[in-house]
Amino acid sequence: MQPPYTPDNYSLDESIGYLISRARALMAASLDRALAEFGMTHAQFGIFRKLMDAQSDMTTGDLAREWCYDTGAMTRMLDRLEEKGFVTRDRSRTDRRVVHVRLSDKGRALADQMSGAAIEALNHHLRGFSADEVEQFKTFLRRMIANA
């Protein structure tokens, strides 16, 4: 199978990486606007939503690995979420290096409203896509992630 790009056919404006990056930036800006009323950014919401969907407490390390952040960056992000009252953190009693993170009561109370605002913003970017096209698109992205 011939690779999709060659020096003869490569153009930055048509590069998958550029298009994904541009789409991500535009979606992030939309999410930031939609979540502003809650004092939440798109990056914070991703972590918040991961905690919301988790079956059990997550650790700072779990979140850092999931989002490909270093632990220092994740700690700073969690500092901001904790300052806003959206999450709580507790050190493990058996291993002081481990910090468990969970949604606070305030976070759980606002979770549905914040998710609704985020869903509306994301759906705006998917206007004109059929449900099958969205599923196919997600399949393609998962394949790219697996190829990494």
Side-chain angles (χ1 to χ4, degrees):
M1 180 185 296
Q2 183 174 337
Y5 293 117
T6 66
D8 293 331
N9 73 5
Y10 179 80
S11 162
L12 176 64
D13 291 345
E14 290 301 313
S15 161
I16 294 290
Y18 171 80
L19 293 170
I20 288 172
S21 179
R22 184 96 168 104
R24 182 195 175 286
L26 293 168
M27 285 192 312
S30 292
L31 283 167
D32 284 345
R33 285 190 300 275
L35 295 167
E37 69 179 283
F38 303 102
M40 176 84 66
T41 67
H42 73 279
Q44 292 167 351
F45 181 74
I47 294 164
F48 179 88
R49 186 65 206 208
K50 193 68 171 172
L51 291 168
M52 188 178 156
D53 293 343
Q55 300 299 316
S56 62
D57 291 350
M58 296 188 76
T59 67
T60 302
D62 294 334
L63 290 164
R65 281 185 293 281
E66 177 70 26
W67 290 102
C68 300
Y69 289 169
D70 64 65
T71 54
M74 182 55 66
T75 297
R76 289 187 296 277
M77 186 78 71
L78 292 171
D79 286 345
R80 288 188 288 278
L81 286 168
E82 191 172 38
E83 286 167 11
K84 294 174 184 184
F86 293 133
V87 303
T88 62
R89 290 183 282 189
D90 299 300
R91 286 212 179 273
S92 169
R93 291 189 174 119
T94 58
D95 186 345
R96 291 190 46 200
R97 297 169 296 176
V98 176
V99 177
H100 296 278
V101 185
R102 66 186 61 81
L103 293 185
S104 66
D105 291 340
K106 177 183 176 181
R108 281 190 297 279
L110 291 173
D112 288 341
Q113 289 176 337
M114 283 193 263
S115 293
I119 289 166
E120 188 174 321
L122 290 173
N123 282 337
H124 178 79
H125 288 272
L126 294 169
R127 290 173 302 173
F129 286 82
S130 70
D132 287 342
E133 288 171 328
V134 171
E135 286 307 312
Q136 185 178 29
F137 186 45
K138 291 190 305 187
T139 297
F140 293 154
L141 291 171
R142 286 187 200 104
R143 282 172 52 193
M144 288 183 73
I145 292 166
N147 285 343

